[in-house]
Amino acid sequence: MKKLITDIPQKELFDGFNGRFFHTESYTIAFWEIKKGSILPEHEHFHEQTTQVVEGILEMTINGESFLLEEGMIAHILPNIIHSGKAITNCKLTDTFCPVREDYK
């Protein structure tokens, strides 16, 4: 199956976080467009996650450690680890979650 990312309907799941979600039987890929200054509060989930910055700068905190992710960088988040984020600039991110994010369907 192939599809244009822009053909996937966009949903605002959190204030300033607009995502397009591609689901398989094993994982979910989220294509985010995030407005500058938007905050993703601390949370955790049982999914393993990667976050890749396609454009912009994202401040991320994983397990109490804060750092900046810039274009071309990727972070790995283990299951059940507390994490949060803040868009320093307008951002485009690609997150991968395993297993599938049923809550994003």
Side-chain angles (χ1 to χ4, degrees), residues 66-77:
S66 295
F67 50 89
L68 293 179
L69 286 177
E70 298 182 26
E71 185 176 325
M73 297 177 78
I74 192 167
H76 178 227
I77 304 166

Side-chain angles (χ1 to χ4, degrees), residues 12-88:
E12 185 175 41
L13 288 191
F14 315 102
D15 211 20
F17 282 73
N18 295 291
R20 300 175 194 274
F21 306 100
F22 185 82
H23 306 281
T24 72
E25 289 186 27
S26 304
Y27 58 87
T28 295
I29 301 174
F31 303 95
W32 296 104
E33 293 180 15
I34 306 169
K35 293 179 185 170
K36 177 182 177 178
S38 297
I39 295 173
L40 182 65
E42 277 192 342
H43 66 287
E44 62 182 291
H45 43 74
F46 65 89
H47 308 85
E48 184 174 17
Q49 175 181 345
T50 62
T51 296
Q52 175 191 0
V53 178
V54 177
E55 289 180 19
I57 301 171
L58 179 73
E59 179 181 32
M60 187 162 233
T61 302
I62 301 174
N63 206 25
E65 181 184 345
S66 295
F67 50 89
L68 293 179
L69 286 177
E70 298 182 26
E71 185 176 325
M73 297 177 78
I74 192 167
H76 178 227
I77 304 166
L78 293 170
N80 304 308
I81 296 295
I82 294 174
H83 56 285
S84 61
K86 178 181 179 182
I88 303 301

Side-chain angles (χ1 to χ4, degrees), residues 79-96:
N80 304 308
I81 296 295
I82 294 174
H83 56 285
S84 61
K86 178 181 179 182
I88 303 301
T89 65
N90 287 334
C91 293
K92 289 186 179 180
L93 309 178
T94 303
D95 284 347
T96 304

